Amino acid sequence: RNNMEAEGEVGVITPADSKQPSMTTSCAWNYVVTAQKPTAVSHSLVGNFTSRDDRNLIISKSTRIEIQLLTPEGLQPLHDIPLYGRIATMHLFRPKNEEKDLLFISTQRFKFCVLSYEGGKIKTLSNGDIQDRIGLASDVGQIGLVDPDCRLIGLHIYDGLFKVIPMDPSSGRLQDAFNLRLEELQVIDIKFLHGHARPVICVLYQDSKEDRHVKTYEILLGEKEFAEGPWSQPNVETSASLLIPVPAPFGGVIVIGEQTITYHQAHAPFKSIPMKATIMKAYGKVDADGSRYLLGDHLGNLYVLILQHTATSVVDLKLERLGQTSIVSTLSYLDNGVVFAGSTLGDSQLIKLKTVKDEQGSYIDIIDTYPNLGPIVDFVVVDLERQGQGQVVTCSGAFKDGSLRVIRSGIGINEHAQLEMERLRGVWVLRGSALDDFDKYIVLSFISSTLVLAPVGEELEQVELAAFNCEKQTLYCGNAMDNTFVQITEDSIRLVDSGTAQLLAEWKDPDGGVISLASANTSQVLLSTRGGKLYLLDMTERLLKLVTMVVMEHEVACVDITPLEGEVGKSSVCAVGLWKDLSIRLLAIPSLQQLSIDVLGGDVVPRSLLFASFEGEHYLLCGLGDGHLVTFGVDTATCSLKDRKKVALATQPMVLSMFLSNGKKHVFACSDRPTVIYSSNKKLLYSNVNLKDVKYMCSINTPEWPDSLALCLDQSLTIGSIDSIQKLHINTVPLKEMPRRICHHSSSSHFVILTVRTEETPEGEDESYFIRLIDDTTLAFDPSKERKDTSFQLKEYENGCSVIACTFVDDPTEYVVVGTAAARPSELEPTKGRILIFKIVNSALVLVHEREARGAVYSLSSFNGKLVACINSKVQVFKWEVNEATGGRELTGECGQQGYMVALYAATRGDFIVTGDMMRSISVLSYKQLNGSLEEIGRDYSPNWMTALEILDDDTYIGAENAFNLFTLRKNSDAPTEDERRRLEIVGEYHVGEYINRFRHGSLVMHQPDAEAQLFGYPRPLAGIPTLLFATVGGAIGVVASLPQPVFSLLLRLQTNLYQVVKGIGGFSHEQWRAFNNERKTAPARGFVDGDLIEAFLDLPRECQEQVVVGLDITVDHLVKQLDALAAAIH
């Protein structure tokens, strides 16, 4: 019974009313979960946070903090921490009595906290709310700063106010906050100055005439007021935007403009230098005395600013360009010329500064790159490899850092070589000696023979090893101790000298039995013959010695003698799977006496066993004949199995093999759906490999193929390297242009992309707009080598706004339709645009029709063989009709609906058009076929500023608005009055914390073999859960999954219980964080559950899990299994 409960065969959840509701309910009950965390880096800090002697890099990515440790080998990730808030400012500071730095964070919803690091965990020292009841939020966003002498924390949040949080300089203890009235209303930047007896701030501001000035103030903490500062500087450069405080002994401040850099100091004339016009976006201090600073501009140029000085004063400034990086949002100098360049518009980078420029004139070497998907402005979901698995292709990045990113669930294999071979039954590699760095031979096993190959360069040559039996199928081959090879066939075990290839020893079953299964390590062999006989042999001293023989109760199905972590060369325990009773047994070595038994149950035979150790935890993995994997924890103290879990990975028998990737152990599960098994935060994770039907696999390492895999496929041997082990695989297609919109033209297998190219000219920057065609197989893009007919350049000032691929009534051709806007500088709102219709012929764009529009064509949608366009304040329906005069086809207007502020978005389903207005939320239009007209049948009267929308089902719609919220609406068809029926009912509200640019129906997950399994005992199968993907400015990709209402209710209760156990970093409340919040209202979350919090249950200690399930009428084991299955089915 206990085993059954662990497998989820009992303990089915029944709601309190014991009723099984219909699964045809609306999509009003939604599960929101992150498939890809935010990747855009907004802040970075360097300091000693985890220890006095540690050099830490702390970076913020929207709602997450990453803490890394600088080591001689590079940056080592320590923690990735979610925060219940969007990070607005972040600073490290160290009070006098502290040995290491403290971290101050404020969020965009006016919460703050101070964090420390103790005992390997983040501890909250203080927190609070800095929101005022009245106040106009500053246009430049929050500015947070910490006094260099730790006397106070300052915040500029509202125009005309400066908030002060006094601090004890010794302990860092915070006191009650208060506001100071600031005369300057249009503040650009504020910084604390160094070396003053009282706290002094420096304010860069703009006056009503748009002139900019710098002013200083002393803060009188006792009197709670400002005093006149030591100096001021009126009329600085009108485009000045950044202040850099200079530490002692020099003091003062550097003012960064677009054409000048100026150093100001009290009682001294200012120092100024000109520069080529540019916009500096970030700075990073190099030296402790502030004599050198790194500057990064909006074009991705990196500069060093040098303050030439005497012992106490600055005498001149010097600016030198170092080279090109991503367009940075933050710069942090780590040590020894190593710099972290964080970016919100491109990939973040770890760079090394050189003393000598290279051939390109650059002083920069890029050490490492950290992919950033943000900002994602559009994406599509396609199945490029026709495997039934969706892939997301995003328009990512901006300006020169623009790119396409192809994102798929799983791991990619980069193929190096392929050899056509059929009926392979195994593959192993051999090294010449234990001291060799590279593999010398590849051993291939066939049904009745063995082949030995030697890598020579990038070729494979057949060789003969005299003592090998190549007339038989090899069951196992590998290196053994004392420079020997071991080969096991059905006839015998052969021990061979690795240098001379001479036979050293051979062992055969004394009873003449045929060897059916074998496993070995460097000093031991475990094998079985028919009749359940199990033999243990020793290979030390270059001999084969029989140690023990036992007869098992049933025939042996699989064996393993892999040493666990900490066991060198020898195992103290082995594992055996048996046929008849379908059991897994642990046996002691050398006696082969049984230590524990676990009966699997069911009727599926165990086919492969493997001991594995991840992150100090020991596991036994068991692959079954139906593609399921059973995992056990191994208790080495009691030599028993524990924590059995079962997951479906494939449909065919599984073979498990160990391999190394980047120095870490992983397991490859070979089957019809190959999977890599790895561990993160002491939890086993599974990523499918983007190959079909891998039979066998082993690691291979040669000079030409380092850290690679040898894979036996159905018809070939493939050598390839594996991508980084992660849940999502990301492939980058650099464009050097900003992609704005994308669609997939399936009939020609092309992506159509609208791009913006920005080029520097003597007059400034010039933008050009293009429609690009990219093959979806090669994904190659190089404008200098592209055929001219694969691109179409738009007119001057003409922006591409929308693109779709569609067919029309009575015309089966798949067209590309592009909507544009003429964004002239003299116009506040575009008054002209075009709708362009292209064919793709022989991989070329052919314009077949164009139609002028009276405004920007913000959105295009296919609508029952017609076209829907959002043009400024109107939604228009077009038909594709034959022009009798010319014989060609053209767009003709059929009907429209006016009355929008700006109609930005449209989605269609059946005869309904759902539209999103820039500031008037969502409305629903119905198309009347009898008279060819549109009628508004529903509207949400909330003033939501829309950023994206989509249709969930016939009656339910989802929208995202600009305060990072989600909401769902439902048609109120059953209401008694016409007015109520026309009002869309709000059924869900949720703060997602990310700016969503696009929704798309689809999934990143391949249909799993057990996806027909029921979810929490209810009739809807896992495969039937509708999912919607969304993408954000911060690079996050999320999933909205619509659940049956009873399942949603259970997860909502689980979420409530989790509040008591999972506490937010900084003391921030999850309920407050997920509450719908914008300038007009705050409302508790409803209609949504937080999948990230729900799935955090899986990582809790067992005692905490037991605490959470109290009152839920469900066991921990069953809940874990169901949540694992739910997570695997949707992301």
Side-chain angles (χ1 to χ4, degrees), residues 857-875:
V857 186
Y858 288 113
S859 176
L860 293 168
S861 299
S862 179
F863 181 61
N864 299 328
K866 302 175 184 180
L867 183 70
V868 171
C870 294
I871 306 172
N872 276 19
S873 60
K874 185 177 182 180
V875 176

Side-chain angles (χ1 to χ4, degrees), residues 495-628:
L495 200 61
V496 178
D497 187 290
S498 62
T500 64
Q502 299 301 308
L503 184 65
L504 299 173
E506 185 174 16
W507 180 91
K508 295 184 178 182
D509 182 7
D511 299 329
V514 175
I515 301 173
S516 56
L517 296 164
S519 174
N521 53 49
T522 58
S523 63
Q524 298 162 312
V525 176
L526 183 69
L527 59 86
S528 73
T529 62
R530 293 193 182 106
K533 293 182 179 179
L534 196 64
Y535 294 88
L536 176 67
L537 290 96
D538 182 85
M539 293 187 290
T540 56
E541 299 178 0
R542 309 187 102 194
L543 299 173
L544 290 169
K545 302 172 186 175
L546 177 62
V547 178
T548 314
M549 189 280 285
V550 297
V551 179
M552 305 303 293
E553 297 173 29
H554 310 289
E555 289 286 352
V556 178
C558 48
V559 297
D560 186 58
I561 196 170
T562 304
L564 289 169
E565 192 174 89
E567 296 181 325
V568 181
K570 280 193 174 185
S571 294
S572 59
V573 64
C574 64
V576 177
L578 299 186
W579 275 86
K580 190 172 181 180
D581 65 355
L582 307 181
S583 64
I584 305 297
R585 304 176 186 229
L586 294 187
L587 308 180
I589 291 179
S591 66
L592 297 186
Q593 294 300 304
Q594 182 172 302
L595 297 171
S596 69
I597 179 172
D598 195 292
V599 178
L600 295 174
D603 56 2
V604 183
V605 178
R607 300 298 296 268
S608 181
L609 288 170
L610 183 66
F611 284 109
S613 299
F614 301 111
E615 299 183 300
E617 300 291 322
H618 304 309
Y619 299 91
L620 177 63
L621 310 180
C622 175
L624 304 184
D626 62 354
H628 279 72

Side-chain angles (χ1 to χ4, degrees), residues 815-816 836-839 846-850 880 889-890:
Y815 293 97
V816 173
L836 308 173
I837 299 184
F838 296 87
K839 282 183 179 180
V846 179
L847 180 66
V848 296
H849 176 68
E850 68 174 284
W880 183 238
R889 286 184 176 267
E890 62 181 22

Side-chain angles (χ1 to χ4, degrees), residues 36-40 372-376 396 407 994 1031-1037:
Q36 168 65 51
K37 299 171 187 174
T39 55
N372 170 28
L373 305 183
I376 303 174
S396 293
I407 304 156
E994 294 286 339
T1032 75
V1033 169
I1037 296 175

